[in-house]
Amino acid sequence: MDHEAFRQHGHAMVDWLADYFRDLEQRRVVPEVRPGEIRAALPSAAPELGAPFETIFADFERQILPGMTHWGHPGWFAYFPSNGSPPSLLAEMLATGLGAQCMSWITSPAATELEQVVMAWLRDLLGLPTAFTGVIQDTASSSTLVACLTARDRMGDAASRMTAYCSREAHSSVAKAFRLAGIPADRVRVIAVDDTYAMLPEALEDALAADAAAGLVPGIVVATMGTTSSTACDPLRAIGELAQAVGAWYHVDAAYGGTAAICPEIRPLLDGVELADSVVTNPHKWLMTHFDCSAYYVRDVEALQKTFRTSPEYLRTAQDQEVANFRDWGIPLGRRFRALKLWFVLRSYGAEELRTLLRKHIALGHELASWVDAEPQWERMAPAPLGLVCLRHVPPELVGDEPALAAHNAALMARVNATGEVFLTHTLLDGRYAMRVAIGAWRTERRHVERVWGLLREAGET
Ligand SMILES: *Cc1c(COP(=O)(O)O)cnc(C)c1O
């Protein structure tokens, strides 16, 4: 592709994307494709000869696009949102265009320093202590693994007796991180939760005491602000005090809910995060920034680097003593220029407009919760502090019959999803099947929430 062809196709593609955004609502959220269908339509070997861009793009529209799920759709209520805003997209285009690879300061000085600046901006917006230093990781899963590995190494010889703690509602990435950090399953303590699905500090206290009495060494405690099933918020201060008292690393997983702490009225849900050794929150979920962009904050940068620093001759630079080389702050060597999109987002919207957006989603969640509460045949299954509403339909004839309720609600959700207008996913709360309506896609308006509620009620009545 020569220079002029690039210009022409580039312009056309931006036009294509502008139309895609404008008409997104007309598409199905989740495509109607069967497993293997897309793959079967594609050649089994790479082409020997190149094709014109027009041909490739036409195939993209014909073969790939019909198999895409549209996370930016206003009817997106599944999992959690992954918000990609236009300024973030344009910054991604620039970062990719520059071909930036940001492993060391010298490999893109502005990228390293912009990352330091935007991580400090975000830290301050979230009300995190200035003692935290930020670094962008690819995902919260990686961030939590980084925390576990650092915690383990900081323990020295005691690591062989290390125990780890999280609540029953912690994200699966926490258990995965414990496993990858070499903590055997029989030294992982899954702590009980209260009726709001938040960790019970008394249960943690008992587990810590039992382990200490058995000669084990509590190594890491992971608390969650905004659990994946129901956005439950663990009591961070009480948990942090217990972790500190036994010298365990304290990691707070606020992957989804954390970014909402830029709103002062939500910040109390992060109260006690001041006690943490590390905390992760994902701008790539709710904060208008494209995947991937996970903000990891750590107090003891020395401990972090002790775990991740390598300095082979071929990576040494003259500036190593005076700069941050982010290759030493996580697992991969090569790093994308992720700070650019977050900078574009923070500058385009400003904190005030981001707060307005988050508040809109949270208010819509509260509104939906009130509609559910007002319907005798519908049950809201957990508090809804952050715009996620967990609910189920309970027809009188099924009251008390959990397996039948699970089957009934699964069928109901399948019917609603089959419309293609919206997409919901489910979870289990205390073993009970719950549909999740996660409000947070930035194109979602009140009428979309009314629509999903209407579809649910219709499905419940038939
Ligand atoms: C989404 C989420 C994760 C995993 O996030 P990734 O960035 O996809 O790894 C972990 N914990 C919580 C609480 C989450 O909401």
Side-chain angles (χ1 to χ4, degrees):
M1 189 181 294
D2 67 19
H3 193 74
E4 280 313 309
F6 167 74
R7 186 188 305 281
Q8 183 203 327
H9 296 314
H11 278 281
M13 195 169 292
V14 170
D15 280 340
W16 187 93
L17 280 170
D19 293 345
Y20 167 80
F21 294 149
R22 187 193 57 206
D23 304 333
L24 189 47
E25 193 167 351
Q26 267 72 64
R27 295 181 185 274
R28 293 179 58 87
V29 188
V30 178
E32 281 180 300
V33 289
R34 288 178 309 279
E37 191 179 330
I38 309 278
R39 195 172 152 190
L42 296 168
S44 56
E48 282 296 328
L49 299 175
F53 189 78
E54 290 81 353
T55 310
I56 302 169
F57 195 78
D59 287 346
F60 159 76
E61 286 194 286
R62 193 171 54 88
Q63 299 186 296
I64 306 300
L65 190 61
M68 292 303 291
T69 295
H70 302 284
W71 285 71
H73 197 290
W76 183 271
F77 299 107
Y79 309 107
F80 283 132
S82 180
N83 275 329
S85 62
S88 166
L89 183 155
L90 294 173
E92 280 286 62
M93 195 159 117
L94 277 178
T96 305
L98 294 172
Q101 208 277 47
C102 313
M103 59 186 189
S104 305
W105 178 85
I106 192 65
T107 64
S108 285
T112 297
E113 296 186 19
L114 184 64
E115 184 161 338
Q116 293 173 311
V117 169
V118 293
M119 284 294 91
W121 284 5
L122 183 62
R123 175 195 66 203
D124 297 346
L125 286 174
L126 294 170
L128 297 177
T130 51
F132 277 124
T133 307
V135 54
I136 303 179
Q137 308 280 0
D138 54 3
T139 59
S141 303
S142 296
S143 299
T144 298
L145 175 59
V146 163
C148 288
L149 295 171
T150 312
R152 181 196 66 192
D153 289 359
R154 195 183 61 161
M155 294 174 74
D157 293 341
S160 62
R161 288 175 292 139
M162 173 180 189
T163 50
Y165 309 79
C166 65
S167 92
R168 204 186 70 200
E169 295 291 316
H171 190 267
S172 59
S173 61
V174 178
K176 193 186 205 176
F178 291 164
R179 192 168 77 206
L180 294 176
I183 307 164
D186 65 358
R187 277 195 256 124
V188 171
R189 311 291 175 237
V190 178
I191 307 299
V193 294
D194 65 17
D195 57 6
T196 68
Y197 304 101
M199 190 193 291
L200 279 165
E202 312 85 73
L204 175 66
E205 189 171 13
D206 291 348
L208 290 168
D211 286 331
L216 297 169
V217 187
I220 183 165
V221 176
V222 179
T224 308
M225 182 270 194
T227 61
T228 305
S229 280
S230 72
T231 61
C233 297
D234 291 340
L236 301 187
R237 184 167 297 281
I239 295 169
E241 282 165 0
L242 292 168
Q244 266 190 355
V246 295
W249 186 281
Y250 183 33
H251 176 66
V252 173
D253 176 2
Y256 172 66
T259 53
I262 66 171
C263 304
E265 70 276 22
I266 298 296
R267 180 58 177 78
L269 296 178
L270 266 187
D271 178 57
V273 75
E274 299 76 23
L275 303 175
D277 293 286
S278 55
V279 51
V280 60
T281 187
N282 281 349
H284 74 220
K285 277 184 167 157
W286 204 357
L287 206 63
M288 307 300 277
T289 308
H290 278 86
F291 187 81
D292 52 352
C293 183
S294 182
Y296 179 65
Y297 289 97
V298 64
R299 195 177 285 278
D300 187 346
V301 172
E302 239 336 283
L304 172 78
Q305 296 195 358
K306 237 172 152 168
T307 291
F308 294 101
R309 188 188 290 130
T310 56
S311 49
E313 193 53 39
Y314 49 80
L315 288 179
R316 286 200 185 138
T317 69
Q319 301 84 14
D320 283 352
Q321 297 313 310
E322 348 159 27
V323 298
N325 286 318
F326 281 131
R327 66 171 193 260
D328 295 333
W329 294 54
I331 297 162
L333 170 61
R335 306 176 76 250
R336 304 178 62 239
F337 187 4
R338 304 184 188 97
L340 193 66
K341 57 189 167 186
L342 188 52
W343 190 55
F344 270 45
V345 164
L346 292 173
R347 296 198 53 200
S348 294
Y349 294 95
E352 220 19 77
E353 201 174 331
L354 292 171
R355 287 187 196 106
T356 302
L357 245 154
L358 297 172
R359 283 176 178 140
K360 181 175 89 178
H361 297 147
I362 293 168
L364 287 171
H366 291 163
E367 215 176 351
L368 174 60
S370 73
W371 299 339
V372 177
D373 292 347
E375 285 293 330
Q377 289 203 6
W378 285 84
E379 179 183 355
R380 184 154 63 85
M381 301 179 69
L386 295 168
L388 166 70
V389 182
C390 294
L391 45 76
R392 67 174 177 176
H393 184 231
V394 187
E397 65 276 15
L398 299 185
V399 171
D401 185 345
E402 285 303 327
L405 279 170
H408 171 69
N409 280 275
L412 198 151
M413 190 175 81
R415 194 168 325 143
V416 168
N417 284 342
T419 64
E421 286 185 58
V422 299
F423 184 35
L424 310 180
T425 52
H426 75 283
T427 189
L428 287 179
L429 288 169
D430 240 344
R432 298 170 310 155
Y433 190 96
M435 291 181 275
R436 297 167 72 263
V437 182
I439 301 165
W442 65 273
R443 292 182 181 87
T444 300
E445 300 290 342
R446 190 169 187 275
R447 65 189 168 89
H448 302 107
V449 179
E450 285 170 349
R451 182 66 184 147
V452 71
W453 179 228
L455 287 170
L456 283 165
R457 290 179 49 184
E458 262 170 50
E461 278 158 22
T462 52

